[in-house]
Structures are given as structure tokens and as C-alpha cells.
Amino acid sequence: MKIYFAGSIRGGRDDQNLYFSIINELQKYGTVLTEHIGDKELTGLGEVKRTDKEIFDRDMEWVKEADLVVAEVSTPSLGVGYELGQAESMNKPVMCLYRETEGKRLSAMVVGNEYFKLNIYRNLDDIVRILKTYFASKE
Amino acid sequence: MKIYFAGSIRGGRDDQNLYFSIINELQKYGTVLTEHIGDKELTGLGEVKRTDKEIFDRDMEWVKEADLVVAEVSTPSLGVGYELGQAESMNKPVMCLYRETEGKRLSAMVVGNEYFKLNIYRNLDDIVRILKTYFASKE
């Protein structure tokens, strides 16, 4: 099982630690193609050793290759939104993980879209449970 | 000419005034389907009189209907990113407008993607010129 994990990079790295933990968790179920999203060395300026075209081409190849897309959508991000749109147009299964924040609302393009399996969580324990239930249902 | 203008709502309304001005400018060239994006009454909580599903369904109908998608991409936004991904998969012409900010970088999913016509601007005068040039080339 190849998993494309999507999280914010240039949209903001506030959740980098959490991405790292989610990736660790996902690795129990398959290969995470985008392991770098959890890297603490990766700042909001993005990858510096690749051109934007190289990053884009690689990421789109990975989405094509993926059996599942898991997107953490608590931080607004153009890249994550774009990947969601592309993953849907390629008919990839897509799971979204969202942490509610007072005074903020998740995009209607995610909440209002029945294609996406949206899961609300409060902490990593919730995510562990959500993933366990999801992958158990696939066995 | 029907134009779908995409700008951040729940991702943040810092540029609401600018969206309003861009929409005014675009209305010289066609019908802007998403006029509400510039509305100063529309807060970061989004439209309150419609469900998320209604918003999603309407917006996707509008993208399908549009002859051109113009996206202001300076504020990270899941919705704008998603619309970019969907517009590309529908082969719609897409123009992006981006204002550079120190310490920030635009997503590689936009910069590295040759499908999008990316325009960097500093102020509304630049946008007026960019649109004039674009629409003159279409006549």
C-alpha cells in the first residue's frame, strides 16, 4: 500500500511535529511516499535542493502512484488543496484529518464534498484510532 | 465570457478589499460568477445562509460553466487550491495572480505547474495592466 500524505509546507509549518507523528503511524500500514513532509528541517520556504518544477512533477507522479491520499487539512494550504483536487480527479481514495479551531472553519470545498472521507480529531490518539478503524475496514 | 474568480474565504480575509477591486476590473471583460468573494460582509467563517454542500455544488457548477478561472493566490487557501486542481482537470484556462511577501513562498503546486499562467503583481495598477494584456491577446 502506497500512501501519499499531504500537509502544509509553504502555507505554514505549525503542525510539523504532528505531521511527523501521523507519518510514523501511517508507516505501520504502508509506504509513505511523502515522508519529507514531517521533516523538522523542512521550513515554510519549502525544499531548497529542487526546483519548483521538479517538486511539482515528483509530487504528481506520487499522487498517481498512490493507493491512498491522507491529507491533514487544519492549516490552509494551496498545495494541499490542489493535491485534493487532483487526487479526486484521479479517483484516488482520500481521507482528510481536521482539528477544529475556535473562530475558524474548514473550507466548504472539503466539508461540502462527499468524495472526501472527513475525520475530525482532537489529538494524536484520535488519529491513531481513526487510522486503525480505516485500515481494519480494508482488510 | 464567464469568469470564475477564486480568492480565500475561510483561509483568511486579509485581501477582501483587493478581491473586490479585482472583481470590478474583471467585470469590464465578462460576467464574474463569484462576485460574493469580494463582499466585505463575507467573513472568514464563510457564507452562512447555505450549507457547505450547497456551496460546494454551486461552486463546482460555476467552475464547469466558466470560460476562465482567475485565482488570487497570495493567501494560502484549501478552497482556492482545490479549485485550481479541479479547473486544471477540466482543462479550463487558469490565470494566477500573486503578490510576493518577504519570508513567504508560493506553493510549488502553483509555481512549478506549467498549466497555470502565473502573474506576479505589486499593486492593483499591475493587475489592471496584466488583465488588459491578457484579454487583448484573446481578441
Side-chain angles (χ1 to χ4, degrees):
Chain A
M1 151 93 58
K2 291 184 185 169
I3 303 167
Y4 188 100
F5 175 74
S8 171
I9 301 171
R10 300 184 194 178
R13 294 292 284 161
D14 289 352
D15 277 342
Q16 174 265 313
N17 270 324
L18 181 74
Y19 300 159
F20 181 82
S21 304
I22 296 173
I23 289 165
N24 270 350
E25 209 48 45
L26 287 170
Q27 285 170 333
K28 296 180 185 167
Y29 304 100
T31 304
V32 177
L33 302 167
T34 53
E35 213 180 357
H36 65 289
I37 306 285
D39 189 343
K40 70 170 187 292
E41 308 289 326
L42 182 60
T43 73
L45 294 176
E47 295 175 65
V48 289
K49 290 182 180 158
R50 289 180 177 84
T51 67
D52 287 319
K53 185 170 183 332
E54 283 164 357
I55 297 169
F56 173 73
D57 290 344
R58 179 203 62 193
D59 286 4
M60 285 304 104
E61 274 311 307
W62 277 343
V63 175
K64 277 179 201 139
E65 218 179 294
D67 304 300
L68 170 68
V69 174
V70 176
E72 207 294 334
V73 294
S74 307
T75 303
S77 155
L78 280 164
V80 173
Y82 177 81
E83 287 154 359
L84 288 173
Q86 286 289 303
E88 181 180 348
S89 74
M90 292 180 208
N91 289 308
K92 302 284 176 182
V94 179
M95 176 199 285
C96 293
L97 297 167
Y98 180 64
R99 193 175 64 250
E100 289 178 311
T101 310
E102 217 183 294
K104 293 206 169 183
R105 277 180 77 198
L106 179 58
S107 171
M109 298 303 108
V110 177
V111 191
N113 183 345
E114 287 167 353
Y115 186 83
F116 300 137
K117 195 176 157 42
L118 175 62
N119 294 278
I120 312 289
Y121 73 90
R122 287 155 308 170
N123 51 42
L124 188 61
D125 288 347
D126 287 347
I127 294 176
V128 170
R129 269 191 298 271
I130 289 163
L131 296 180
K132 197 176 243 177
T133 308
Y134 177 83
F135 287 104
S137 78
K138 300 289 157 194
E139 271 167 13
Chain B
M1 150 96 53
K2 289 183 187 172
I3 305 167
Y4 187 101
F5 175 73
S8 171
I9 301 172
R10 301 186 194 178
R13 296 292 285 163
D14 289 353
D15 277 343
Q16 173 264 313
N17 269 324
L18 181 72
Y19 301 157
F20 181 82
S21 303
I22 296 173
I23 289 165
N24 268 351
E25 208 49 45
L26 286 170
Q27 286 170 333
K28 296 180 185 166
Y29 303 101
T31 305
V32 177
L33 301 168
T34 54
E35 212 181 359
H36 64 289
I37 307 283
D39 189 343
K40 70 170 186 296
E41 308 289 326
L42 182 61
T43 73
L45 294 179
E47 296 175 65
V48 289
K49 290 184 185 160
R50 288 179 178 84
T51 67
D52 286 321
K53 185 167 183 334
E54 284 165 356
I55 296 170
F56 173 73
D57 289 344
R58 177 203 63 194
D59 285 6
M60 285 305 104
E61 274 310 306
W62 277 343
V63 175
K64 278 181 202 137
E65 217 179 294
D67 304 300
L68 170 69
V69 173
V70 176
E72 208 292 336
V73 293
S74 306
T75 302
S77 156
L78 280 164
V80 174
Y82 177 81
E83 288 155 358
L84 288 172
Q86 286 289 305
E88 181 181 348
S89 74
M90 293 180 207
N91 289 308
K92 301 287 175 179
V94 179
M95 176 199 284
C96 293
L97 298 167
Y98 180 64
R99 191 174 67 250
E100 288 179 311
T101 310
E102 219 182 293
K104 294 207 169 183
R105 278 179 77 199
L106 180 57
S107 172
M109 298 304 107
V110 177
V111 191
N113 183 345
E114 287 167 352
Y115 186 84
F116 299 137
K117 194 172 160 44
L118 176 61
N119 294 278
I120 314 288
Y121 73 89
R122 289 157 305 171
N123 51 41
L124 189 62
D125 288 348
D126 287 348
I127 294 176
V128 170
R129 268 190 299 272
I130 289 163
L131 295 180
K132 197 177 242 176
T133 307
Y134 177 82
F135 287 104
S137 78
K138 300 289 156 196
E139 269 168 14

